[in-house]
Amino acid sequence: MRKIELSKEEIEMIKHYERDEYFHDTMTEEQREIFGCVIDKAEALEEELDAYEESGSDLIRWFYAKYKAQEI
């Protein structure tokens, strides 16, 4: 697996998501773009690892767990 790289802004968006503070209707265009990048990275990793079952019903939480695991 290649190293997952996230910007400070992407990590902040994931943390908002984890706290259930992700509201697409109230996000700025910049926030939507940042979160879209996170989703694209998560989907690419899911495909690379063929982890469709492993990722379960919450792709973002799975992806962030993978990111945090590599930082240990």
Side-chain angles (χ1 to χ4, degrees), residues 25-72:
D25 295 340
T26 60
M27 293 171 69
T28 66
E29 185 62 34
E30 180 182 12
Q31 289 171 322
R32 283 189 194 103
E33 287 179 24
I34 292 168
F35 202 68
C37 289
V38 170
I39 292 169
D40 290 345
K41 289 178 181 183
E43 288 175 339
L45 182 64
E46 181 185 45
E47 183 175 327
E48 175 186 327
L49 299 178
D50 193 24
Y52 302 103
E53 288 184 33
E54 179 187 344
S55 62
S57 63
D58 198 327
L59 178 64
I60 301 304
R61 281 182 170 56
W62 169 81
F63 178 66
Y64 195 48
K66 290 287 190 187
Y67 172 78
K68 292 189 289 187
Q70 78 180 6
E71 298 299 311
I72 295 175

Side-chain angles (χ1 to χ4, degrees), residues 5-37:
E5 297 196 24
L6 296 172
S7 69
K8 181 180 128 194
E9 293 83 5
E10 289 170 332
I11 292 169
E12 285 303 311
M13 288 305 299
I14 292 170
K15 288 180 179 180
H16 284 288
Y17 176 84
E18 285 189 320
R19 292 188 304 261
D20 293 324
E21 296 174 355
Y22 169 76
F23 301 107
H24 188 75
D25 295 340
T26 60
M27 293 171 69
T28 66
E29 185 62 34
E30 180 182 12
Q31 289 171 322
R32 283 189 194 103
E33 287 179 24
I34 292 168
F35 202 68
C37 289

